[in-house]
Amino acid sequence: VGIVATLAIGLAANLFLVRWLVRLIESILARIPLVTSLFQAFKDIAKLFSQDADRELGQVVAVDIGDMRLVGFVTQKDAWLPGKFNEEDNHRIAVYLAMSYQLGGFTVHVPRRCVTPLQVSANEAMRAVLTGGPLQPRKTETQ
């Protein structure tokens, strides 16, 4: 029953009428101040688990903070902070650091020198971070 219900919902979501109705509901919810914040957060969480996660999350990176090395996702390549923060170091990058076993995380603005790109897909990296599991390198065609 669960599989059939999932398939039926997926097929319905692809219908034009259902997509139009979803857009209408989204536009109504976007006008309500508190609801729009919560709704947008749920949409962002859903995007993390979509097939387009690699494009949405950006480059997978290792972030060095003190003696720690954390896996994160670039959200902004030229992060800007207001006031004195922007004057101190304008070569910052915004990185989302997900938390294991949770859907929360932190967005940190770190100097570019603290960030190292990783050759891992966003899906693999997110799976490793969320489960606390190992991070495996991408397989090349010769492996």
Side-chain angles (χ1 to χ4, degrees):
V1 173
I3 293 172
V4 171
T6 302
L7 288 172
I9 291 170
L11 289 172
N14 285 323
L15 296 175
F16 173 76
L17 182 62
V18 174
R19 282 189 261 167
W20 176 82
L21 186 60
V22 168
R23 281 194 299 266
L24 177 67
I25 292 170
E26 283 181 1
S27 68
I28 292 169
L29 290 176
R31 295 180 191 147
I32 305 170
L34 179 60
V35 174
T36 190
S37 298
L38 294 172
F39 181 67
Q40 190 61 44
F42 284 120
K43 278 179 59 176
D44 291 343
I45 290 169
K47 283 182 184 178
L48 290 177
F49 298 102
S50 74
Q51 292 178 348
D52 297 330
D54 278 336
R55 284 178 283 185
E56 293 292 326
L57 288 175
Q59 173 68 44
V60 179
V61 294
V63 180
D64 294 322
I65 300 177
D67 290 335
M68 296 183 296
R69 179 163 283 167
L70 306 167
V71 175
F73 306 90
V74 174
T75 60
Q76 229 180 351
K77 292 184 180 181
D78 292 313
W80 179 85
L81 293 172
K84 68 176 186 172
F85 297 107
N86 198 40
E87 295 169 7
E88 291 175 6
D89 186 358
N90 61 358
H91 300 289
R92 291 190 175 260
I93 189 166
V95 179
Y96 172 70
L97 301 172
M99 297 170 59
S100 295
Y101 299 105
Q102 297 184 38
L103 293 177
F106 300 96
T107 299
V108 295
H109 294 84
V110 295
R112 289 184 189 275
R113 61 181 158 69
C114 295
V115 175
T116 306
L118 298 177
Q119 297 301 313
V120 178
S121 74
N123 285 331
E124 292 169 358
M126 183 59 80
R127 187 178 318 116
V129 170
L130 290 178
T131 63
L135 194 59
Q136 302 295 327
R138 273 192 190 149
K139 293 184 179 187
T140 60
E141 292 181 22
T142 59
Q143 291 180 335

